[in-house]
Amino acid sequence: MAYIWPIALVVAANVVYHVCAKSVPESMDPFASLTVSYTLGALLSAGLYLIMHRGEGFWREVGKFNWASIVMGLAVVCMEVGYICTYRAGWQVSKASTVQSAVLAAALLGVGALFFHETITLRKVAGLVVCLIGLIIINH
């Protein structure tokens, strides 16, 4: 179960996320929407930390951040604005997510090999080919 629940949480949260990204009002600026979302996210994150750790060491933990926390914040904003704009451009929820996932899988195969010394196996390449064929099928 410890192996399954995190992926189940990611999938469930992604479903809710995509429904919300597609439902942001056309008349609302994406950055205003994200400001509301991130304010709530920051409060929820801080609150959950304080509850789970009884308020101990919050600032000590925050002081451990490195470049990854900052760059992740920038990446998340770009990703979310990209999705909101993707849906406003007329992409279907099912196609947008599938296309980005397949292209992301291809990109991360290279990133994993270059930066994390992960092995590119024939099975991974075959999986990537299947993803790319799927892209062709889904977009025709």
Side-chain angles (χ1 to χ4, degrees):
M1 189 61 174
Y3 191 69
I4 300 296
W5 82 262
I7 290 296
L9 179 62
V10 168
V11 170
N14 263 281
V15 169
V16 172
Y17 167 82
H18 284 280
V19 168
C20 293
K22 188 152 178 79
S23 300
V24 171
E26 279 282 328
S27 61
M28 184 177 198
D29 184 275
F31 295 107
S33 175
L34 291 177
T35 300
V36 172
S37 299
Y38 287 131
T39 299
L40 177 59
L43 292 172
L44 181 61
S45 295
L48 287 172
Y49 178 89
L50 294 172
I51 289 167
M52 295 176 79
H53 297 280
R54 296 189 177 105
E56 297 175 9
F58 180 76
W59 293 112
R60 183 175 55 245
E61 288 299 316
V62 170
K64 294 177 184 178
F65 83 94
N66 67 1
W67 65 269
S69 298
I70 295 167
V71 174
M72 183 184 275
L74 296 171
V76 168
V77 169
C78 291
M79 182 183 68
E80 299 207 35
V81 167
Y83 266 120
I84 292 170
C85 293
T86 295
Y87 292 133
R88 287 184 178 178
W91 279 77
Q92 296 174 350
V93 173
S94 57
K95 278 190 177 183
S97 179
T98 303
V99 169
Q100 84 73 34
S101 290
V103 174
L104 178 62
L108 289 178
L109 189 66
V111 168
L114 283 173
F115 296 106
F116 298 104
H117 310 291
E118 295 174 359
T119 305
I120 297 178
T121 63
L122 187 57
R123 181 176 283 179
K124 288 180 183 177
V125 172
L128 182 58
V129 169
V130 170
C131 286
L132 297 176
I133 291 169
L135 282 179
I136 293 167
I137 292 169
I138 200 168
N139 284 302
H140 284 89

